[in-house]
Amino acid sequence: MVKLASSKKGLNINYRPLQASISIEVVTSVPDRQFYSATDNSFTPDYTLTPLTLFPRCAAVDAELTSAAKSVNSALTNMKWYERIGGVQKLISSGTDYVITETGEKKGQIQVKKNSSITSPITLEFSADYVDTRTNQVLTYRDSRVIIVSDSSAPQPVLTIDSPDTVQWYPVRDVLQQTITAKLMAGNRDITDDDRVNFWWYRVLSTGALEEIVDGNGDNDWEVVSVDRNVLVIDRDFIGEEQTYVCKAAYRETGDLPTSPDTYDQSATTRIVRYIPRLECDFKGVITGCPAGTSCIYPQGYVRDSKGVISNPEEWFRFVWMGKKPGATSYTQVGEGMNPTIAFVEGMLLELEIEDKGPQALIVDDDDSNIYITDEDGVPSYQRLYEKTY
């Protein structure tokens, strides 16, 4: 056979050019707008005490793909922040007034630790490059943010609560009840008890919606011990695995107080998470060499955490005893409880496991109608969420 002709072509991937996308985001709850009161020469918020944190989220977008944009902050080059005041631009470096994150996924994040001005507000200008290593395409990112300061005849109120953003609650050692107290400050003046202030408390539902806690007698208020104006008391054993609470407050110097908060009114949030640390379990009351004629053994289980042996562990944990007979290929359950009676088999292996019984949960009808069961006095019945009933 005679070859008459041939053709050769080199095949390569044709990468589509990427598009730059940038947005400067406010990190944490400190806003990028300040209020200045000439009455007491105060800023709210005062960035010298609670810095403003901004993050320039840089992404490389393939416009023809539906997948999420790829964040490229960690690979930025020529990254710079500038401060512009009254038309004068100055390169920013980390120091007393600013702190810039130089590496990692948060590269470019800046903490602002100086206050702006009504007449000459601070403009922060960001610039950086990103090189697409596939094509050597250089994407340039530029964005800016003006820190506006508004004059106020009276200091703007600031709401705080005495519960951190996130609370890890260890039910075995920590107290069940938590009191969350809100405080509203106008400059250096505490206006919490002022008649011109209203407070509202909410729980965050799984959908993200807010459900108001009015008097502790609502359909979902099982964990609420009491709610009184700026103080919420909860029993954390009834919050499930976690629960977030939001407090809102409104202050009106003149006029009527609103029946519900406006969007510009102050709010504060705390998230309470049920937390079980690393635990150890062991047992005693059993010797390796049992006397002849032994038919049953009576082990005694116990649990330890970093503070020592836990008293009354069956309140929180289920003790499961697993045994393996000689010749068997796997373990099977041979007992349950802290002090079980277990049938003895010569040569057997015994293992203790503990399981978290979980938080308190309402007992509902078997038909999943979500109608909870009560006693003769109308008090709801509870059991732990993962507790087995036999």
Side-chain angles (χ1 to χ4, degrees):
M1 181 179 293
V2 179
K3 181 167 66 174
L4 299 178
S6 66
S7 176
K8 296 181 180 179
K9 293 182 179 180
L11 303 179
N12 297 295
I13 297 175
N14 183 20
Y15 291 102
R16 287 185 292 266
L18 300 175
Q19 296 178 3
S21 171
I22 181 172
S23 62
I24 296 181
E25 303 172 354
V26 177
V27 182
T28 75
S29 60
V30 179
D32 61 343
R33 185 186 184 99
Q34 293 183 289
F35 294 89
Y36 175 74
S37 172
T39 305
D40 57 359
N41 192 30
S42 66
F43 285 87
T44 305
D46 186 341
Y47 292 161
T48 64
L49 301 176
T50 53
L52 166 67
T53 304
L54 300 175
F55 177 60
R57 186 176 299 279
C58 299
V61 183
D62 187 337
E64 297 185 25
L65 295 180
T66 59
S67 57
K70 173 187 175 185
S71 176
V72 296
N73 280 71
S74 61
L76 293 176
T77 60
N78 301 323
M79 187 266 295
K80 296 180 178 67
W81 276 101
Y82 293 91
E83 175 196 77
R84 184 182 294 276
I85 300 177
V88 179
Q89 187 187 63
K90 182 179 73 172
L91 179 65
I92 296 174
S93 57
S94 292
T96 303
D97 295 334
Y98 300 95
V99 176
I100 300 174
T101 301
E102 301 287 352
T103 59
E105 294 181 355
K106 294 298 183 181
K107 184 175 182 178
Q109 182 168 287
I110 186 171
Q111 272 196 329
V112 182
K113 304 170 72 175
K114 65 182 293 185
N115 295 316
S116 190
S117 167
I118 296 176
T119 57
S120 300
I122 297 172
T123 299
L124 296 173
E125 300 172 347
F126 176 82
S127 67
D129 294 331
Y130 169 71
V131 180
D132 185 353
T133 55
R134 307 170 307 169
T135 63
N136 290 326
Q137 175 194 6
V138 179
L139 299 180
T140 299
Y141 297 87
R142 298 185 187 280
D143 204 355
S144 62
R145 180 66 68 96
V146 180
I147 303 177
I148 298 173
V149 181
S150 299
D151 194 9
S152 59
S153 57
Q156 295 297 308
V158 175
L159 175 67
T160 59
I161 56 177
D162 61 356
S163 182
D165 290 342
T166 299
V167 178
Q168 283 191 327
W169 172 64
Y170 177 30
V172 176
R173 299 290 186 184
D174 299 339
V175 296
L176 297 184
Q177 289 193 7
Q178 178 178 350
T179 299
I180 306 173
T181 303
K183 181 166 67 173
L184 194 65
M185 299 289 294
N188 296 322
R189 186 164 56 95
D190 189 342
I191 59 172
T192 304
D193 297 326
D194 197 303
D195 292 338
R196 295 166 294 175
V197 176
N198 259 359
F199 292 91
W200 296 267
W201 292 93
Y202 304 87
R203 67 169 59 81
V204 180
L205 304 179
S206 58
T207 60
L210 300 183
E211 180 182 58
E212 186 174 358
I213 302 170
V214 180
D215 56 8
N217 294 317
D219 290 341
N220 294 323
D221 292 345
W222 310 112
E223 85 280 19
V224 177
V225 178
S226 65
V227 56
D228 182 14
R229 188 174 163 78
N230 66 310
V231 180
L232 173 68
V233 182
I234 60 170
D235 186 329
R236 295 185 288 194
D237 203 20
F238 291 88
I239 66 169
E241 294 297 344
E242 67 172 76
Q243 183 62 65
T244 298
Y245 296 95
V246 177
C247 180
K248 296 189 176 185
Y251 169 69
R252 300 293 184 268
E253 193 169 4
T254 59
D256 296 331
L257 278 168
T259 56
S260 60
D262 290 319
T263 55
Y264 56 82
D265 284 320
Q266 292 281 303
S267 67
T269 301
T270 184
R271 173 173 170 258
I272 301 170
V273 181
R274 188 176 184 271
Y275 163 74
I276 302 295
R278 181 178 178 274
L279 301 173
E280 295 179 353
C281 66
D282 204 345
F283 57 90
K284 57 186 179 180
V286 177
I287 58 176
T288 55
C290 296
T294 299
S295 59
C296 293
I297 54 176
Y298 308 94
Q300 303 166 34
Y302 58 93
V303 184
R304 289 189 300 262
D305 60 13
S306 60
K307 293 186 177 180
V309 176
I310 297 172
S311 60
N312 192 26
E314 286 188 294
E315 169 68 20
W316 314 102
F317 308 111
R318 177 172 174 249
F319 287 71
V320 180
W321 300 85
M322 306 296 291
K324 183 178 180 183
K325 298 178 181 179
T329 58
S330 60
Y331 283 83
T332 59
Q333 184 172 334
V334 295
E336 184 173 342
M338 188 174 172
N339 301 292
T341 299
I342 299 174
F344 173 72
V345 176
E346 184 177 358
M348 69 184 296
L349 297 176
L350 185 64
E351 180 181 3
L352 170 62
E353 300 175 353
I354 57 169
E355 299 175 357
D356 180 13
K357 289 184 178 180
Q360 294 279 16
L362 285 170
I363 300 176
V364 298
D365 287 345
D366 292 336
D367 59 3
D368 293 327
S369 61
N370 289 329
I371 299 176
Y372 55 85
I373 298 173
T374 63
D375 60 18
E376 58 184 10
D377 297 323
V379 178
S381 299
Y382 299 92
Q383 73 171 40
R384 300 215 167 268
L385 186 60
Y386 310 123
E387 185 173 7
K388 294 186 178 181
T389 303
Y390 298 93

